[in-house]
């Protein structure tokens, strides 16, 4: 399929990726992804791929057994903010307006 | 002690008590201190271990790429987002090297999260090619390759997803390989594309590479994609001779392509004749699906990366945007501040090809074509024992040359991506120098689990040449 990847598409996928793009980044990012999508159009030459399997791998399982893992005690040490055995983060339910307005690219608010 | 000494020679010196392990390690530690400011291969240098060194690699120190966890040391993947992240445990690869008695003298520079073919995408510094400091060493295992090529250490570990060990090996005139997928443990290695990532050694010679591989490969219960294979001694049959009745398939696309540098083509043609002289039967082969490799790779691996890198959002580790008042903005702003442009590009591409309305046309289709490529390899290996091709289409290019053209940079992986997608092993070794004295590498690709054959063939070729004896100026 010939896709015209637009700025709207870029902002939509940035939102899906939980990734904020600066205004100054958008034109080049858009062009680079458009170029890559144009290149991969070549896969449309392949008409008979349906006969091939999606995956040739198999899942490996192990017993769901509790073992002592000394590493677990160290994991919280890497976190930016913790309380007791919890990772602390800003509220998921806070209003978006709680954030200060975004700095523009010159770093001014 | 001469610089650029091989692991094999070093082991003999230590066994003959000409030098102690401690003296040997100190020798390399001083070389790093003396030369790395101009090479920029290390993000951080460590002092040699105080503990007595015993084991196969006692006195034979190395370096690990910055995406391989070393307990209590920073593993930043050359990214700002993990600039303060200290690994809480050792990767299996780290443990194995430590248990062999080796001192790890630092963590090496790389393209951020292993995304790159030149070494220019690190958030911290640009590693130089020791053969020409104005040129790239190749990536993403830039620092590991450059350090070995400059004789700062006799071995280093890199990681490969689409060519990240073999490309810098070719650009730096050393030996690098990609094992059968699953042969080297990914436990404790920061994941980029889980279905192709592998850890592999970079060394000056094939024999040295086989020594490290013998210590590195084998089943690991902590890695669910680990193959049920016992460790092997890959040095056992290295007698400088090709196996009898070896049939080598020469990739015709490489000889016919106008995109391959003429000097690389010429060195490759010379290598074919040399292999024939050594007793190999040469057969022309074509891989008609080779040309789809880059497209398949740049659909599937960004998709996997988008999933793997989603965890770097300020919650569990790494940096966090402390000003953010909502969870969603913490994620978005942390990632904006922490990820470089190439990483962002791949995450966006990855989530796009996985998104509703596009997944079937892109991700699912690419997966099937991946298996089409895999079948073509399997069919080809019914006719030939090994395939050879140039490792890269271009010579090491100038730093900054491809800054504005990511796609041009992706093409650097042209000859390496396919076997990564299929999980076939390969080894890149030097096969000449350009008239500007830049290294040229070519590679053998083999059926799955054919590492012994690869090492034997590569070793026989190498011993019939003197490319591995040449060294870059300025690192005496």
């Amino acid at each position: 399929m010939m896709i015209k990847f637009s700025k709207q598409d870029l902002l939509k996928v940035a939102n899906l990726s939980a990734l904020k793009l600066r205004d100054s980044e958008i034109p080049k990012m858009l062009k680079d992804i458009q170029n890559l999508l144009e290149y991969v159009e070549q896969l449309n030459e392949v008409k008979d791929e349906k006969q091939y399997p999606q995956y040739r791998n198999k899942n490996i399982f192990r017993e769901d057994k509790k073992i002592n893992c000394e590493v677990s005690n160290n994991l919280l040490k890497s976190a930016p903010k913790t309380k007791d055995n919890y990772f602390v983060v800003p509220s998921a339910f806070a209003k978006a307006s709680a954030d200060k307005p975004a700095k523009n690219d010159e770093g001014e608010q | 002690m001469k610089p650029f000494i091989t692991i094999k020679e070093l082991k003999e010196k230590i066994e003959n008590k000409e030098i102690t392990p401690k003296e040997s390690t100190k020798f390399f530690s001083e070389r790093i201190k003396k030369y790395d400011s101009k090479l920029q291969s290390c993000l951080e240098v460590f002092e040699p271990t105080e503990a007595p060194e015993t084991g196969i690699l006692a006195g034979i120190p190395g370096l690990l790429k910055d995406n391989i966890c070393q307990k209590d040391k920073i593993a930043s993947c050359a990214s700002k987002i993990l600039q303060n992240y200290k690994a809480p445990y050792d990767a299996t690869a780290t443990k194995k090297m430590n248990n062999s008695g080796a001192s790890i003298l630092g963590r090496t520079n790389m393209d951020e999260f292993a995304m790159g073919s030149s070494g220019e995408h690190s958030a911290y510094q640009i590693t130089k090619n020791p053969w020409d400091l104005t040129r790239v060493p190749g990536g993403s295992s830039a620092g590991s390759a450059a350090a070995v090529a400059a004789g700062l250490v006799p071995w280093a570990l890199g990681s490969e997803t689409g060519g990240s060990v073999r490309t810098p090996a070719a650009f730096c005139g050393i030996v690098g390989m990609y094992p059968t997928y699953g042969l080297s443990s990914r436990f404790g290695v920061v994941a980029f594309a889980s279905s192709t990532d592998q850890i592999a050694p970079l060394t000056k010679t094939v024999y040295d590479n086989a020594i490290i591989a013998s210590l590195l490969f084998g089943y690991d219960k902590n890695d669910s994609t680990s193959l049920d294979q016992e460790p092997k001694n890959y040095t056992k049959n290295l007698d400088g001779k090709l196996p009898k009745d070896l049939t080598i398939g020469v990739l015709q696309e490489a000889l016919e392509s106008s995109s391959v540098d003429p000097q690389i083509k010429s060195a490759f043609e010379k290598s074919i004749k040399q292999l024939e002289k050594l007793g190999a039967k040469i057969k022309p082969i074509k891989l008609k699906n080779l040309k789809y490799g880059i497209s398949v790779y740049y659909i599937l691996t960004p998709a996997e990366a988008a999933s793997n890198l989603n965890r770097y959002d300020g919650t569990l580790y790494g940096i966090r945007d402390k000003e953010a008042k909502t969870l969603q903005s913490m994620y978005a702003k942390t990632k904006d501040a922490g990820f470089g442009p190439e990483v962002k590009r791949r995450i966006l591409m990855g989530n796009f090809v996985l998104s509703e309305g596009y997944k079937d046309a892109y991700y699912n289709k690419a997966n099937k074509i991946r298996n089409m490529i895999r079948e073509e390899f399997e069919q080809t290996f019914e006719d030939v024992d090994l395939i050879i091709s140039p490792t890269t289409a271009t010579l090491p290019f100038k730093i900054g040359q491809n800054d504005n053209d990511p796609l041009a940079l992706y093409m650097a992986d042209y000859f390496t991506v396919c076997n990564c997608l299929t999980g076939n092993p390969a080894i890149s070794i030097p096969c000449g120098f350009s008239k500007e004295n830049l290294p040229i590498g070519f590679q053998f690709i083999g059926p799955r689990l054919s590492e012994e054959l690869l090492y034997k063939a590569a070793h026989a070729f190498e011993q019939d040449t003197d490319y591995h004896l040449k060294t870059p100026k300025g690192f005496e």
Side-chain angles (χ1 to χ4, degrees):
Chain A
M1 60 145 63
M2 192 60 194
I3 161 110
K4 185 83 183 81
F5 186 75
S6 68
K7 184 175 168 183
Q8 295 319 110
D9 294 317
L10 178 62
L11 294 175
K12 184 177 173 193
V13 75
N15 195 40
L16 285 175
S17 311
L19 183 57
K20 180 156 173 41
L21 286 175
R22 297 161 202 226
D23 288 341
S24 57
E25 282 179 300
I26 289 174
K28 185 169 193 299
M29 190 64 77
L30 182 60
K31 186 160 189 299
D32 289 338
I33 295 179
Q34 280 171 342
N35 286 345
L36 184 54
L37 286 171
E38 198 182 313
Y39 181 82
V40 306
E41 284 294 316
Q42 97 182 139
L43 293 185
N44 288 332
E45 284 171 26
V46 181
K47 302 289 183 210
D48 60 349
E49 84 280 2
K50 284 191 172 41
Q51 61 178 291
Y52 295 95
Q54 176 94 308
Y55 302 109
R56 282 178 50 172
N57 311 324
K58 63 177 191 189
N59 279 321
I60 302 293
F61 296 95
R62 59 179 166 83
E63 264 186 71
D64 187 16
K65 219 167 44 171
K66 184 176 169 184
I67 55 164
N68 252 340
C69 185
E70 59 189 66
V71 173
S72 322
N73 304 330
N74 279 338
L75 295 178
L76 278 161
K77 286 191 196 154
S78 309
K81 196 171 179 187
T82 58
K83 185 180 174 176
D84 302 327
N85 256 7
Y86 295 91
F87 296 97
V88 176
V89 294
S91 167
F93 303 109
K95 286 206 177 76
S97 56
D99 271 296
K100 289 199 188 110
K103 289 184 165 67
N104 68 15
D105 289 299
E106 282 79 54
E108 298 152 3
Q109 212 141 13
Chain B
M1 181 136 103
K2 63 168 190 184
F4 304 101
I5 187 168
T6 66
I7 299 175
K8 189 169 184 235
E9 290 165 335
L10 205 38
K11 280 175 74 61
E12 282 164 21
K13 270 193 157 21
I14 291 169
E15 267 153 42
N16 294 336
K17 303 220 187 315
E18 291 170 47
I19 189 168
T20 68
K22 275 246 174 304
E23 283 165 349
S24 172
T25 299
K26 185 156 181 259
F27 172 78
F28 290 105
S29 181
E30 318 243 273
R31 278 185 66 76
I32 293 174
K33 290 188 174 109
K34 184 173 178 187
Y35 290 119
D36 204 41
S37 55
K38 76 173 169 182
L39 194 63
Q40 297 284 290
S41 72
C42 291
L43 288 170
E44 194 183 350
V45 176
F46 307 137
E47 286 303 310
T49 175
E50 282 299 318
E53 296 180 44
T54 58
I56 297 174
L57 293 184
I60 304 177
L63 294 168
L64 301 188
K65 191 173 176 181
D66 194 31
N67 60 352
I68 302 174
C69 286
Q70 303 182 55
K71 188 167 190 284
D72 299 329
K73 304 254 187 350
I74 292 178
S76 75
C77 305
S79 179
K80 289 268 186 266
I81 214 164
L82 289 176
Q83 63 188 220
N84 58 351
Y85 172 70
K86 286 197 174 161
Y89 56 92
D90 280 327
T92 296
T94 306
K95 259 208 207 94
K96 286 186 170 185
M97 294 299 113
N98 284 334
N99 289 344
S100 307
S103 218
I104 309 298
L105 296 180
R107 53 187 178 94
T108 57
N109 196 27
M110 52 187 281
D111 286 296
E112 190 180 353
F113 284 107
M115 298 180 188
S117 331
S118 65
E120 297 169 288
H121 288 135
S122 165
Y124 297 102
Q125 63 205 45
I126 295 183
T127 303
K128 318 289 191 291
N129 190 319
W131 295 88
D132 179 338
L133 299 176
T134 68
R135 291 178 188 264
V136 301
S140 60
S141 308
S144 289
V148 169
L152 304 195
V153 281
W155 64 270
L157 294 187
S159 72
E160 178 159 321
T161 305
S164 291
V165 167
R166 283 174 288 155
T167 296
F171 278 8
C172 290
I174 59 173
V175 180
M177 62 92 71
Y178 178 81
T180 304
Y181 177 78
L183 207 51
S184 84
S185 171
R186 295 183 301 109
F187 180 74
V189 178
V190 177
F192 159 13
S194 310
S195 74
T196 72
D197 288 348
Q198 284 289 276
I199 299 298
L202 287 146
T203 55
K204 201 87 176 71
T205 66
V206 175
Y207 190 95
D208 283 3
N209 209 281
I211 293 177
I212 304 295
S214 307
L215 297 166
L216 192 56
F217 299 158
Y219 175 67
D220 180 16
K221 70 173 178 4
N222 289 323
D223 175 356
S224 67
T225 58
S226 179
L227 287 177
D228 191 7
Q229 291 287 314
E230 287 295 311
K232 283 198 171 109
N233 177 1
Y234 295 107
T235 65
K236 211 167 50 172
N237 294 321
L238 301 185
D239 57 3
K241 296 195 187 72
L242 284 181
K244 274 200 171 69
D245 306 318
L246 186 72
T247 304
I248 297 180
V250 174
L251 189 66
Q252 294 305 292
E253 283 86 351
L255 294 172
E256 291 162 6
S257 167
S258 56
S259 307
V260 177
D261 187 294
Q263 295 191 78
I264 292 182
K265 231 181 249 185
S266 159
F268 180 54
E269 281 163 345
K270 198 166 152 209
S271 308
I272 299 168
K273 291 197 175 67
Q274 202 160 345
L275 286 165
E276 225 169 352
K277 200 189 83 198
L278 289 171
K281 181 167 166 218
I282 300 296
K283 197 168 175 181
I285 57 135
K286 275 187 181 269
L287 291 174
K288 69 173 176 32
N289 297 315
L290 179 83
K291 60 182 190 274
Y292 300 125
I294 292 285
S295 295
V296 170
Y297 181 80
Y298 280 100
I299 288 174
L300 295 181
T301 60
E304 295 188 26
S307 178
N308 281 326
L309 269 64
N310 199 39
R311 68 194 69 186
Y312 306 113
D313 61 9
T315 307
L316 305 172
Y317 30 57
I319 64 166
R320 172 192 289 195
D321 184 309
K322 298 264 164 73
E323 310 273 297
K325 294 283 186 291
T326 69
L327 189 60
Q328 192 69 11
S329 66
M330 181 191 82
Y331 294 156
K333 289 177 179 184
T334 299
K335 289 178 187 184
D336 175 45
F339 288 144
E342 183 59 40
V343 173
K344 284 182 182 173
R345 206 160 17 239
R346 297 202 198 189
I347 289 172
L348 293 167
M349 178 68 179
N351 278 328
F352 177 70
V353 301
L354 287 170
S355 62
E356 191 192 1
Y358 300 112
K359 187 178 177 187
D360 212 39
Y362 288 100
Y363 182 79
N364 290 345
K365 184 164 176 129
N367 250 326
K368 286 175 186 265
I369 298 175
R370 177 184 192 165
N371 282 315
M372 192 172 91
I373 297 173
R374 188 164 161 178
E375 253 195 50
E376 189 177 30
F377 267 102
E378 286 165 351
Q379 281 160 8
T380 307
F381 283 125
E382 284 168 16
D383 288 331
V384 300
D385 299 308
L386 295 173
I387 295 169
I388 54 171
S389 84
T391 307
T392 63
T394 68
L395 294 168
F397 41 88
K398 291 274 189 193
I399 292 169
Q401 184 178 309
N402 291 315
D403 268 357
N404 287 325
D405 194 354
L407 194 51
L409 208 46
Y410 297 163
M411 290 301 151
D413 298 333
Y414 194 80
F415 291 117
T416 51
V417 283
C418 280
N419 71 280
C420 289
L421 288 168
T422 64
N424 284 75
I427 186 167
S428 176
I429 58 173
C431 70
F433 288 84
S434 74
K435 57 183 193 297
E436 306 95 342
N437 202 37
L438 298 171
I440 298 172
F442 88 113
Q443 60 177 355
F444 295 87
I445 305 172
R448 290 158 78 87
L449 295 174
S450 65
E451 284 75 11
E452 281 157 304
L453 178 59
L454 286 168
Y455 276 121
K456 192 166 172 64
H459 183 252
F461 178 89
E462 176 200 69
Q463 293 298 300
D464 195 49
T465 73
D466 62 357
Y467 307 125
H468 58 293
L469 300 171
K470 294 203 177 357
T471 57
K473 287 197 180 60
F475 296 93
E476 291 76 27

